[in-house]
């Protein structure tokens, strides 16, 4: 996944705890083999090679995550769109490469989630036109974290945290107190702007500092506005708190693209979802529910519910 995985488990039986962690790491690897856009042998790469020509039969897991992505596209009026990759693949942040305006203009018609044709009964995906690519990078880590938590639950683990990059989910509490998850300062890799107490909840942060380079004072980063094919502007980071990591991961990328006004409006309309947005001036904004928690008060955990 090109990202750090962290699993912490509390178990009275140390061997059982260690075995549970190994099972979660194996699951992460399995999902990466299935959904990585960088591995030519992954099912996702096969979709990108073949679905422009014919319907491709895929696993129900990949199918379902694509369906989730399409639901998010509709909810966010296209801010979340896995076909962003039709242009997005032209960026290489490590090599400081970005497409020219002409290249973007040529590839941009490939971005539109409506180009994806899914056949539930046949279990296939097809692209309505050539030049379409998909990438689940905005939601797959959340899915992997949720799968990890499911594995731990099945093994009887009651207290754990699973983190993949900016996406975490906690199971239960940590020795009778909430788990504490920090929200990074987007302009200081060692700094923290908030610490969120969590019980049975998920939290995801999308930031313009994850994969980026700077050119002529411009930050070219990995979250793409599907309308322009360029890095989304107006926000430095978005943190979403919710019931599961697939939701928080998908929503953090979505709200990043939607921006402060539209994004916060959507969050405030959804029950069980909260947000902290840091805008392009560094100002922090909290969704309605979080405003009721006085800053610095870490006693009231967010998302306390039965697993
Ligand atoms: P996250 O850190 O969860 O916000 O995910 C960022 C990743 O989401 C990027 O590296 C891309 O793989 C993917 N992505 C970028 N722009 C979009 C978009 N507009 N819709 C869906 N996924 C995107
Ligand atoms: Mg995301």
């Amino acid at each position: 996944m090109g990202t750090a995985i962290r699993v912490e488990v509390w178990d009275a039986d140390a061997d059982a705890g260690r075995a549970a962690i190994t099972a979660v790491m194996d699951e992460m690897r399995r999902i990466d083999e299935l959904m990585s856009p960088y591995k030519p042998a992954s099912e996702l790469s096969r979709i990108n090679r073949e679905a422009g020509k014919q319907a491709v039969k895929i696993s129900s897991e990949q199918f379902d995550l694509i369906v989730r992505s399409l639901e998010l596209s509709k909810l966010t009026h296209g801010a979340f769109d896995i076909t962003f990759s039709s242009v997005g693949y032209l960026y290489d942040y490590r090599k400081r490469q970005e497409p020219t305006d002409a290249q973007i203009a040529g590839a941009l018609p490939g971005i539109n989630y409506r180009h994806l044709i899914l056949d539930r009964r046949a279990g296939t995906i097809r692209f309505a036109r050539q030049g379409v690519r998909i990438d689940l990078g905005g939601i797959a880590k959340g899915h992997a974290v949720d799968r990890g938590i499911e594995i731990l639950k099945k093994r009887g683990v009651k207290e754990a945290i699973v983190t993949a990059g900016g996406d975490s989910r906690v199971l239960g509490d940590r020795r009778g107190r909430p788990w504490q998850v920090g929200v990074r300062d987007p302009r200081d890799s060692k700094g923290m702007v908030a610490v969120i107490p969590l019980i049975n909840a998920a939290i995801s942060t999308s930031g313009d500092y994850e994969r980026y380079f700077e050119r002529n004072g411009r930050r070219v980063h990995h979250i793409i506005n599907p309308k322009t094919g360029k890095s989304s502007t107006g926000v430095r980071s978005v943190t979403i708190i919710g019931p599961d990591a697939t939701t928080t991961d998908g929503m953090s990328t979505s709200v990043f693209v939607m921006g402060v006004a539209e994004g916060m409006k959507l969050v405030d309309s959804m029950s069980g979802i909260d947000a902290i947005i840091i805008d392009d001036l560094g100002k922090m904004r909290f969704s309605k529910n979080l405003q009721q928690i006085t800053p610095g008060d870490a006693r009231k955990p967010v998302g306390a519910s039965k697993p």
Side-chain angles (χ1 to χ4, degrees), residues 138-139 167 206 249-250 252-253:
I139 196 167
D167 305 289
S206 294
D249 188 6
S252 66
T253 311

Side-chain angles (χ1 to χ4, degrees), residues 38-216:
Y38 306 110
K39 297 195 163 150
S42 74
E43 189 178 79
L44 187 113
S45 294
R46 191 161 61 81
I47 294 172
N48 282 334
R49 278 194 303 271
E50 297 175 7
K53 290 169 258 171
Q54 79 237 359
V56 180
K57 176 117 174 79
I58 57 175
S59 60
S60 60
E61 185 178 2
Q62 187 113 243
F63 191 98
D64 290 345
L65 200 58
I66 294 171
V67 169
R68 274 298 287 275
S69 300
L70 290 175
E71 288 166 4
L72 257 182
S73 296
K74 284 175 204 140
L75 182 73
T76 63
H77 307 290
F80 189 89
D81 190 331
I82 58 174
T83 67
F84 85 90
S85 181
S86 308
V87 174
Y89 89 99
L90 296 167
Y91 290 84
D92 189 324
Y93 303 96
R94 252 180 260 167
K95 293 186 185 153
R96 301 175 55 82
Q97 273 171 20
E98 61 180 323
T100 63
D101 285 346
Q103 283 173 313
I104 292 176
L108 200 56
I111 303 185
N112 191 333
Y113 63 92
R114 294 182 188 85
H115 294 329
L116 305 181
I117 302 165
L118 293 169
D119 184 332
R120 163 77 65 186
R121 210 175 312 150
T124 60
I125 182 168
R126 185 164 70 77
F127 298 155
R129 46 166 289 150
Q130 299 284 315
V132 177
R133 272 168 190 266
I134 60 170
D135 184 329
L136 292 167
I139 196 167
K141 278 188 256 108
H143 167 70
V145 166
D146 283 341
R147 289 285 318 157
I149 289 287
E150 286 312 313
I151 284 175
L152 295 177
K153 273 195 204 168
K154 275 200 198 116
R155 288 172 167 259
V157 173
K158 299 276 189 290
E159 297 176 31
I161 183 166
V162 178
T163 300
D167 305 289
S168 301
R169 180 165 167 186
V170 305
L171 183 59
D173 57 22
R174 187 177 190 275
R175 312 276 81 192
R177 289 166 157 267
W179 292 90
Q180 307 282 344
V181 178
V183 177
R184 227 191 91 166
D185 180 337
R187 292 294 176 268
D188 172 7
S189 60
K190 289 177 210 89
M192 218 70 108
V193 293
V195 177
I196 313 289
L198 296 171
I199 297 172
N200 286 321
I203 184 166
S204 294
T205 298
S206 294
D208 66 4
Y209 50 83
E210 292 271 0
R211 288 183 195 171
Y212 75 99
F213 60 88
E214 272 170 353
R215 182 154 296 151
N216 308 326

Side-chain angles (χ1 to χ4, degrees), residues 204-271:
S204 294
T205 298
S206 294
D208 66 4
Y209 50 83
E210 292 271 0
R211 288 183 195 171
Y212 75 99
F213 60 88
E214 272 170 353
R215 182 154 296 151
N216 308 326
R218 245 180 341 119
R219 185 174 281 244
V220 182
H221 66 80
H222 67 144
I223 302 175
I224 303 294
N225 183 336
K227 286 197 196 113
T228 62
K230 296 186 179 182
S231 301
S232 183
T233 55
V235 162
R236 290 181 187 170
S237 82
V238 172
T239 298
I240 301 282
I241 302 153
D244 65 83
T246 309
T247 302
T248 57
D249 188 6
M251 279 295 292
S252 66
T253 311
S254 298
V255 171
F256 194 105
V257 174
M258 294 174 92
V260 176
E262 205 197 336
M264 205 55 109
K265 202 171 129 198
L266 176 64
V267 167
D268 281 334
S269 77
M270 296 169 77
S271 74

